[in-house]
Amino acid sequence: MVRQIETESMGRPIEVLLVEDNPADARLLREAVEDVAPARIQLTHTTSLRSALQRVDSSNPRGPSFDIVLLDLSLPDVQGLETIARFHRAAPTIPIVVLTGIDNEETALNAIHHGAQDYLVKGKVDGALLLRVMHYATERKRSTDALRRSEEYYRSLIENAQEVILVLNEDGAIRYASPAIDRVLGYSASESVGKLIFNVMHPDDRTRMQRELSILWSDPGSARACECRFQHSDGSWRVLEAVGKNLSKDAGVRGVVINGRDVTERKRADEQLRSLNDQLDAVIQTSPLAIFCIDLEGCVCTWNRASEAIFGWSAAKVLYHRLPIILPGDEVQFQTLLRRARSGETVTRAGGKMVREDGAEISVDLWTSGLRDSSGTVHGIVNVVADTTESKLLEEQLLQAQKMEAVGRLAGGVAHDFNNLLTVINGYCQLIFDRLPTGDENREDLATALQATDRATDLTKQLLMFSRRTVVVSKIVDLNAIVLDMHRMLRRVISEQVELILTVSPIRGWMLADASQIELVILNLAMNARDAMPNGGTLTIETGERYLDSAFLPKAPDQGGKRYLMLAVSDVGTGIDPKLRPRLFEPFFTTKPKGEGTGLGLPTSYGIVKQHGGNIFVQSTVGLGTTFRIYLPAVETGPAEISKAEEVARLRGTETILLVEDEDGVRRVVQDMLRSNGYTVLSTADPEEGLALAAAHPEAIQLLVSDLIMPRLTGVDLAEMIHQVRPQLKVLFMSGYSESQVADRVKASGAAFLQKPFTLEVLGAKIRAVLDDGTRNENQRKASLL
């Protein structure tokens, strides 16, 4: 038996503190120890509690660490159970075995109740008993300490857990609450115990949670998860994600254990993310741009409404299928794009063509970027596509309009210089023609030359019409009447093989236009149609009315569209090559053989239509024919009664005229034309010299005839300076530019205007009109009021 105890106690010696004041009892205990295991037990003896407490004082670094104390209850400085209490307070971790001389069970129980591990009755102690008691006492102490440490460990886990841990009774009363309830819900653990958990639940969640608890209680050992809103002590609401387990059969718990985690912030973040996703989805779905995603194999992952509208394919047809909008010729480029995306490269804007479901090609601008996962790896491509087909068309139209405007300005400048030359040629030819006697053989040659100048004058007028630089003499006219009046003339100019059909629709209203120019438009279009049908065909001229918006797109009358009169000229001829259509209205561009066309018919028509505030459109199919549609603004007021033409004014006069013209040829011919009509002419090429002549001439000067654009001084400047010395002087400006080009200057001066070239009769009539009743400038008007 002793050997067994020694075997179980192998290891370091057992440090024993013996507190005994009786030397005989102390000696007997020491001898008992030495009999059984002198090497296994290290015995330290002291005779008082005070000295014993000094031995176990934790502040004494040299004091031994005792495994057990043998404590007598009758010591010189303390007696009875107080001995145990005082020692236990001083050294609570050292097991106490009480030594007593009284073999009394009540005494033993009282000792154990006060903290002793065991007791020994003096006189009955032998070595084996002593060793066994000491061994059991130390083992019980070790087990107790292990249990205490375990309890402290789990208590620490519970008390420091981030989750709220509750133990609930069947009715929902809280029997235990972990300290986390204060951090999560603002209630202390102590004040929560005994209260119903349903009292702090959201009203909308209580019935559901009562049902959940009832189901859980009905099934011991089961567990259920739920989510519920709890009211914080500050009045706010917190969302807890909880797991409840029924441990009602566990003797240590006997309730439902709830582990609740605060997920309020996570729920709020989820809601914000959901809201942002909803907003992003709304933006994507309402965007006018096609937005879609593809994976790295080129299959469609997302497809918004604009993608459906632009390309025609519904989302159901394209999702998880190969992207269908790539043209066959762009497949290699598309594969390159996928490779670049796989490598992480970002592609910005690119222009090109794509195909619709109906097979039509459209112009697009494309923006792409890689889609990355949380590790930064590209797993797809997001594409944003803008349909630029219409904008490209508008851009081309704008460029065409700008080109036409530039050509128009050039044509206007050419016409100005040409008009000066024609004024000289025509003027001298007419003067010579008038001087030759009837029957002179040279008169016929001059008549031919005058006819040539008339044609040249018509040519410059067409240039000015194209450039919209000519003066429009607008009147209220009837479009149908113009078309019907031209029927006979058109029959003469078109081939007998061409059938002419007039489709004149009833029109409510008129238009404000220069009838002669509208006639020229009809004539030009009819002759083009004739030339497009060399083997004959049908030429149709149609009139009608349309309601259009400002961009000349169809509208119903109740949609606020403006009313236009429509003139359409159609043929069934060769048609126009689409590549040539952008150049149709360019001056001097013609597809006719050399010598058969001037290339001014369509440009002139274009200029006339634009100058009247209208627009002209072309529809043509090669081999089937062409239709030109013209839209001109309609007016509601009809034409006024036209008075009889007044008698032609006398061309001759005797007044004195100051002529200032820097072009020598023009100045000489105008001077000769005026003198041939009886006028006295003071002539100069220099505006400053003209000013000097006006000041020095001793007699009256009735009229200033001046070129409008001259070096150093303009005609307007000259007139203003002359009016300072001759306020009654009347003014007539002339210019190779049209009146519309110089309208602002002429209007500001209040003077009359005559455009070059002009005939002797036109000049004579204009001079008489100004002298007899002519337009006074502002200075004249002021002077007449003095």
Side-chain angles (χ1 to χ4, degrees), residues 6-273:
E6 287 182 350
T7 302
E8 292 175 354
S9 303
M10 288 183 66
R12 70 174 182 82
I14 300 174
E15 296 286 344
V16 180
L17 175 62
L18 174 60
V19 187
E20 174 61 65
D21 64 330
N22 188 325
D25 291 339
R27 185 174 57 253
L28 289 174
L29 290 171
R30 187 181 295 277
E31 289 174 353
V33 169
E34 290 176 351
D35 286 343
V36 294
R40 295 298 299 152
I41 298 175
Q42 183 71 38
L43 187 66
T44 302
H45 178 224
T46 182
T47 59
S48 66
L49 182 64
R50 182 171 61 83
S51 62
L53 295 180
Q54 289 176 347
R55 294 271 186 169
V56 299
D57 186 2
S58 60
S59 64
N60 181 6
R62 292 186 294 179
S65 175
F66 295 101
D67 297 309
I68 192 169
V69 61
L70 301 177
L71 181 63
D72 186 10
L73 294 183
S74 180
L75 296 172
D77 50 354
V78 65
Q79 297 289 320
L81 297 175
E82 179 64 21
T83 306
I84 300 173
R86 289 179 62 181
F87 189 90
H88 186 67
R89 284 195 299 271
T93 62
I94 301 176
I96 300 172
V97 175
V98 172
L99 297 174
T100 178
I102 303 172
D103 187 4
N104 185 300
E105 184 178 352
E106 182 180 356
T107 301
L109 292 175
N110 286 335
I112 292 174
H113 179 71
H114 279 76
Q117 293 290 326
D118 210 340
Y119 74 98
L120 292 172
V121 180
K122 297 177 183 180
K124 294 184 178 181
V125 178
D126 59 23
L129 176 61
L130 179 60
L131 187 60
R132 185 170 60 251
V133 168
M134 288 191 295
H135 176 72
Y136 289 160
T138 55
E139 287 301 318
R140 281 196 299 271
K141 181 62 176 178
R142 188 176 295 113
S143 297
T144 302
D145 288 346
L147 179 60
R148 177 179 51 80
R149 287 193 297 271
S150 177
E151 289 176 348
E152 289 176 351
Y153 172 74
Y154 288 108
R155 183 181 299 107
S156 177
L157 288 179
I158 292 174
E159 292 181 351
N160 292 286
Q162 295 296 311
E163 297 181 350
V164 177
I165 301 174
L166 304 173
V167 178
L168 304 181
N169 293 331
E170 187 174 1
D171 61 355
I174 301 173
R175 198 164 76 244
Y176 170 80
S178 68
I181 196 171
D182 188 6
R183 177 182 56 80
V184 175
L185 295 177
Y187 307 110
S188 68
S190 60
E191 72 174 325
S192 299
V193 173
K195 295 182 178 179
L196 290 176
I197 192 171
F198 304 115
N199 292 342
V200 292
M201 282 185 183
H202 194 283
D204 295 342
D205 295 343
R206 287 174 189 166
T207 302
R208 176 172 57 86
M209 295 309 298
Q210 288 171 341
R211 184 172 60 254
E212 289 288 328
L213 184 60
S214 176
I215 294 172
L216 193 59
W217 264 101
S218 66
D219 187 9
S222 65
R224 294 181 71 85
C226 62
E227 187 176 278
C228 183
R229 289 166 289 178
F230 290 86
Q231 190 170 32
H232 194 278
S233 61
D234 63 7
S236 63
W237 293 96
R238 312 295 294 179
V239 181
L240 266 65
E241 190 177 70
V243 176
K245 186 172 181 62
N246 184 345
L247 297 178
S248 59
K249 298 300 183 181
D250 189 316
V253 180
R254 296 190 181 281
V256 170
V257 178
I258 304 293
N259 284 47
R261 176 184 301 171
D262 185 2
V263 294
T264 307
E265 297 306 321
R266 190 192 74 191
K267 297 287 289 185
R268 184 177 292 118
D270 288 346
E271 186 61 33
Q272 290 175 347
L273 180 60

Side-chain angles (χ1 to χ4, degrees), residues 343-547:
S343 67
E345 183 178 350
T346 298
V347 182
T348 54
R349 180 175 179 177
K353 296 279 189 179
M354 288 183 173
V355 63
R356 287 176 43 85
E357 184 181 24
D358 58 11
E361 293 185 13
I362 60 174
S363 299
V364 298
D365 279 343
L366 170 68
W367 296 263
T368 63
S369 181
L371 292 172
R372 300 177 184 272
D373 58 21
S374 57
S375 66
T377 303
V378 175
H379 62 86
I381 305 173
V382 61
N383 304 266
V384 180
V385 179
D387 182 358
T388 60
T389 305
E390 185 175 350
S391 63
K392 292 287 187 185
L393 179 61
L394 292 175
E395 183 179 346
E396 292 174 1
Q397 291 176 349
L398 175 61
L399 291 174
Q400 179 67 12
Q402 290 174 338
K403 181 171 69 173
M404 298 296 288
E405 183 67 23
V407 174
R409 287 195 297 269
L410 174 63
V414 171
H416 164 264
D417 293 339
F418 199 38
N419 281 338
N420 279 334
L421 296 175
L422 288 175
T423 300
V424 176
I425 297 171
N426 185 73
Y428 277 121
C429 285
Q430 191 168 9
L431 287 174
I432 296 172
F433 183 84
D434 291 342
R435 292 171 186 165
L436 293 176
T438 302
D440 191 305
E441 59 181 11
N442 293 317
R443 286 177 66 91
E444 185 176 351
D445 295 336
L446 285 173
T448 301
L450 286 171
Q451 290 175 0
T453 59
D454 288 342
R455 287 195 297 270
T457 300
D458 291 338
L459 183 63
T460 60
K461 286 181 179 179
Q462 290 187 46
L463 285 172
L464 290 171
M465 287 178 186
F466 163 75
S467 62
R468 293 182 296 236
R469 297 294 191 261
T470 190
V471 179
V472 176
V473 183
S474 297
K475 297 179 182 180
I476 301 297
V477 295
D478 184 340
L479 177 60
N480 283 346
I482 293 176
V483 172
L484 293 172
D485 288 345
M486 291 193 68
H487 180 267
R488 181 175 299 176
M489 181 185 69
L490 292 175
R491 269 273 39 113
R492 290 198 302 266
V493 298
I494 63 175
S495 169
E496 293 180 356
Q497 296 176 297
V498 175
E499 179 185 4
L500 177 61
I501 299 176
L502 300 183
T503 305
V504 179
S505 302
I507 297 176
R508 295 178 298 103
W510 298 263
M511 62 180 181
L512 184 64
D514 188 324
S516 63
Q517 293 194 7
I518 301 302
E519 291 173 353
L520 180 59
V521 170
I522 297 173
L523 179 62
N524 285 337
L525 296 179
M527 294 179 68
N528 270 352
R530 176 203 63 187
D531 295 339
M533 298 183 291
N535 298 319
T538 302
L539 168 61
T540 303
I541 300 178
E542 178 187 2
T543 63
E545 55 183 342
R546 300 286 187 273
Y547 285 88

Side-chain angles (χ1 to χ4, degrees), residues 723 727-729 749-750 775-786:
H723 277 134
Q728 300 296 331
L729 185 69
S749 69
T775 304
R776 288 186 171 91
N777 58 39
E778 187 64 18
N779 287 334
Q780 287 177 275
R781 188 183 65 82
K782 292 179 180 179
S784 65
L785 296 175
L786 296 176

